[in-house]
Each structure stands twice: as structure tokens, then as C-alpha cells.
Amino acid sequence: MQHIIHQYQILKAHIADLIAISGYRNDYLAKKMGIKPNNFSVKKQRDTWTEKEIEKLLQLIENEETENYLMLELMRAAKKEETVSYEEFKKQVGWK
């Protein structure tokens, strides 16, 4: 569960970067989301997106560039996390 929350936090922290990488203009995305362009810009600057807005925004900007960028950020974050060996993992889950 913590892993999912951590990935969501990474995603949320990089929304502005994902928008920039997507190649879409703010006014276009604002119109598609039903938000005034000024409000869209404020949300982008202050990172005040709701979960529903994030979901809709990601549906709009999803492309290979944004997917690659997000994967890179997730991999960078994973490098900082504590890991266990395969042998330790087997012990933890009760495998023989």
C-alpha cells in the first residue's frame, strides 16, 4: 500500500513537468478539462489539483514522452528506497 501512495506522490509532484513534456498548451488542456485557462495556470503553479482533475489530465496528456518521463522519475525514486535480497524476501514471505 505504501508503494502505491509513494508512486502517486511522485506522479503528483511531477504534473507540471508532465504537462510541459506532453507538448499540449495550457489553454487547450484547460478547455478540454472544462477549466478557465487562468484557473488551470494557478492549479499548475500551486499544485492544487484534485484527484479527479489529475486523472482527467493524465488521460489527456498520455503519450510515449510523458510515460517515459514518469517511468524515469519512478525509477529514480525507487533507487532511494531500501531493498532486500532475494534470500531475505523468500524468508519474509515464508518460501523455502
Side-chain angles (χ1 to χ4, degrees), residues 12-17 19 26 29-30 33-54 57:
K12 193 170 186 313
H14 291 282
I15 288 291
D17 297 330
I19 292 168
N26 287 351
L29 293 172
M33 292 180 66
I35 300 173
K36 292 181 181 180
N38 289 344
N39 291 348
F40 184 92
S41 293
V42 169
K43 285 181 170 289
K44 185 177 167 185
Q45 290 172 355
R46 295 184 183 166
D47 192 27
T48 56
W49 305 102
T50 66
E51 290 174 8
K52 290 285 184 191
E53 289 169 336
I54 289 173
L57 183 56

Side-chain angles (χ1 to χ4, degrees), residues 38-84:
N38 289 344
N39 291 348
F40 184 92
S41 293
V42 169
K43 285 181 170 289
K44 185 177 167 185
Q45 290 172 355
R46 295 184 183 166
D47 192 27
T48 56
W49 305 102
T50 66
E51 290 174 8
K52 290 285 184 191
E53 289 169 336
I54 289 173
E55 183 178 2
K56 185 161 186 161
L57 183 56
L58 291 174
Q59 289 172 353
L60 291 169
I61 66 173
E62 185 177 9
N63 63 38
E64 189 173 337
E65 294 296 319
T66 57
E67 298 250 342
N68 289 343
Y69 176 81
L70 186 55
M71 183 59 69
L72 177 63
E73 291 304 319
L74 290 170
M75 288 172 31
R76 284 179 178 157
K79 274 186 165 180
K80 297 174 188 174
E81 294 177 6
E82 185 178 325
T83 60
V84 297

